[in-house]
Structures are given as structure tokens and as C-alpha cells.
Amino acid sequence: MKQLVLDFPLQLQEALIIGKNHRFITQPRQFSNIVVTGLGGSGIGGSIVQNYVFDKLNVPFVVNKDYSLPAFVGKDTLVIACSYSGNTEETLMALQQAKKKRATIICVTSGGKVAEFAGAKKLDCILVPAGMPPRSCLGYSLVQLLSILNHFGLIPGNFDREIKAAIKLLKTNSADIQKKASVLAKKMFGKLPIIYSAAALEGVAVRFRQQINENSKLLAWHGAIPEMNHNELVGWRDDASDKVVIILRDQDDFSRVQARMEIGKKIAKKYNPTILEIYSEGKTYWERVFYLIHLTDWVSVFLADLRGVDATEVRVIDYLKGELAKVK
Ligand SMILES: O=P(O)(O)OC[C@H]1O[C@](O)(CO)[C@@H](O)[C@@H]1O
């Protein structure tokens, strides 16, 4: 897993080339709404892109992490089905539903049944290299999502400049990022992680939580500000010395959100959690987002080392799928 994290900037580089070389069957057209459907490491790219397009698209952009699609999906919907393995049953079922509903479909996968379905139905299918754990391939899926949105004129073509700048930033600061991540992992070790971010970066916070779950084999939770100020905050009442709060911060966090973070820190401090803050680095949006993703990916693998667990295996998910296969 460490090698895959280390190679993340190279993956982004390759992802840009894959996106550029893809010849779309579907010609640019307008849609009434867009749905990205995918689970876990293959769906999180959708959540991160959803944050990005929030103030850019004038049509709804929905991320679906279930077997069935929203009722509004129809012939004016763009459905992007993301499954790295191509074999996730929820995504396959949603994909079949999208076809029935006559949506425009684009698949992003490394193969499996999704690629077979796309081939049989002559759908656009962007193929990425196979053989890795899906969560380590976020670079491939996220860049393809941007490239698809760009193909339909939904986001400007210069997104790749920002990705290139992010690649440079991650490569240049590789040693420093690893050093920071190692320090953070040591401070987090032995405690329950609680990740907070602005709502505008919730996708990145969820990614961090899921990487802690899958790589570090640890329960964790996340909350977005301002929403957690209206409920979860009240739960801060008991000793929290067994917890570590990690706040993901960005220069573009809305000023009122920044003020809420400062006040929230004061409230949490009363209960003695360890409080850590991770500031994004970089000039542009994608530099800063990829910086946070990469740094927190490193944290999750260093935390796995400290906990003496194998970051790659997900045996319990395999067990669940085995049991599920027995259910008719
Ligand atoms: O790329 P896929 O196979 O759709 O996987 C998505 C998610 O499913 C899992 O493979 C487990 O079922 C996760 O590890 C992964 O994040």
C-alpha cells in the first residue's frame, strides 16, 4: 500500500493521459442532472467532485452509493458508473437501472462486469489500469470524472493545469509530506479519530475517514462544519482524552466556518482530546485538495504500521461478500 501511496502523483499523471486519449462515443450535449454511482474507494471521487462543482454547475449533481438510482433519472440524465473492479453488485444494479431508464451512461472501471456490460451495450467506458485495491486508485477515477465533465462542457478545460500543478506540488514536497504524516500518525496512535472539515471539503474528510477504516483498520468518524455545530457539538460533554480531533483546514474555508472552528476547538479542549490541525497547501483548488488527500493517505498507512496491521488486506469485506453470496 505504501508504494501505491508513494506513486499517487504518477497515477495522477497517467490519469490525465488516459482522459486525454479517451475517444468518447457520446457527443457533447446538455443534461438536466448528473449522477455518479459508486461505492467506497470508487465512489469517493464522486463526493469530492460534488464539493468542487457545488458552485459551478447549474444542474443538480448527485452522488449515489446504493443499489438503485434516484427517481428523477431519465433520458436527460448523465450517469457515471464508477467501479474500479467492475464487480461491485450495487454499482452493477444501478448501471442496469440507468440503462433501463435510458440515461446517457459513462463507465469508469478497470474491467470486470462493468466493462462487459459497457461493451455489450456499446457504452462509453474509460478503462484504467487493473490489479490494485480500488481505494488506491482515487487518482484515476477522480481525474476521469473531471475529464468527463469537461467533455460535456460542464467544467472548463483548464482543470488539467491545476492537476499538473498538484502533481508537481506532491512530488516536490514528497519527503516533507511523509514527515508530517508520520508525526500526525504518532499523535493519533491509540486514540479514536474524529475528523472535522468545512462542508465544502466534506468529501476529503470522508476519504480520510475511509482510509483510516480500510488501511489502519480503525473506527473513526467525521463531521462537517457548520452542520455538526447544530447537533454533534452537544455530544462534547464527557472526558475525551481517548479521542483525537483532526481538523482539515483550507484557505478558502468560509470566514464564518473558520470562526466556528476556532470556537469549536475551545469547546472540545475542555474535554481533553488531542487536537490536530492539517492545513492544505498549494495555490489552486486541486493542488490543495490533492495535498490533503495525499497527506492523509500517508497518515492512514503510517497508522497501520503503528497498529501492526496490514494496510492492504480487507478480509472482513471479503467475508461479508462471501456470506452475502449465500443469501438468495
Ligand atoms: O471498485 P469497486 O470494486 O467498485 O470497489 C469499491 C469498494 O468496494 C471494496 O472493494 C470492498 O467491497 C472497497 O474496498 C472499495 O472501496
Side-chain angles (χ1 to χ4, degrees), residues 72-286:
F72 64 73
V73 171
K75 62 178 176 38
D76 290 325
T77 304
L78 169 64
V79 172
I80 307 173
C82 273
S83 171
Y84 178 75
S85 71
N87 293 322
T88 293
E89 65 174 37
E90 300 93 314
T91 313
L92 276 163
M93 201 168 136
L95 177 58
Q96 284 155 7
Q97 215 181 81
K99 184 70 189 140
K100 274 200 193 113
K101 286 168 168 269
R102 296 173 50 223
T104 296
I105 303 169
I106 311 231
C107 301
V108 179
T109 186
S110 71
K113 291 179 184 155
V114 167
E116 276 171 31
F117 186 85
K121 306 285 179 195
K122 299 194 170 31
L123 305 175
D124 257 310
C125 184
I126 306 183
L127 280 175
V128 298
M132 291 160 269
R135 62 187 178 283
S136 68
C137 294
L138 171 61
Y140 287 129
S141 55
L142 203 155
V143 171
Q144 298 327 312
L145 290 178
L146 295 175
S147 151
I148 294 165
L149 295 181
N150 174 243
H151 171 71
F152 291 108
L154 293 159
I155 59 163
N158 61 0
F159 77 90
D160 64 339
R161 250 186 270 153
E162 285 194 25
I163 310 276
K164 281 178 192 158
I167 294 166
K168 197 169 165 202
L169 178 84
L170 301 190
K171 279 186 180 170
T172 315
N173 294 292
S174 180
D176 179 59
I177 290 172
Q178 287 179 59
K179 209 164 120 194
K180 271 189 191 154
S182 159
V183 171
L184 287 162
K186 282 179 193 142
K187 289 184 177 164
M188 288 169 65
F189 179 56
K191 295 178 189 287
L192 179 85
I194 304 174
I195 302 152
Y196 291 134
S197 75
L201 278 184
E202 190 171 0
V204 178
V206 174
R207 162 70 175 183
F208 189 20
R209 171 170 63 72
Q210 294 178 344
Q211 290 292 77
I212 289 173
N213 298 149
E214 283 197 83
N215 290 344
S216 326
K217 275 73 186 169
L218 187 61
L219 290 175
W221 87 67
H222 88 275
I225 299 166
E227 176 61 16
M228 65 74 65
N229 283 179
H230 299 273
N231 34 65
E232 186 174 317
L233 185 65
V234 187
W236 282 92
R237 183 167 283 246
D238 306 310
D239 176 67
S241 47
D242 58 343
K243 302 191 176 57
V244 52
V245 174
I246 308 109
I247 311 173
L248 304 181
R249 305 201 62 159
D250 182 67
Q251 66 183 52
D252 280 355
D253 288 340
F254 179 53
S255 57
R256 301 289 292 168
V257 167
Q258 291 189 37
R260 285 172 181 273
M261 286 174 173
E262 293 306 323
I263 301 164
K265 270 195 304 188
K266 274 193 221 154
I267 296 168
K269 258 183 197 157
K270 288 195 230 160
Y271 305 99
N272 288 318
T274 301
I275 299 185
L276 306 172
E277 291 179 273
I278 304 181
Y279 286 84
S280 63
E281 285 187 22
K283 283 197 196 84
T284 62
Y285 182 87
W286 286 115

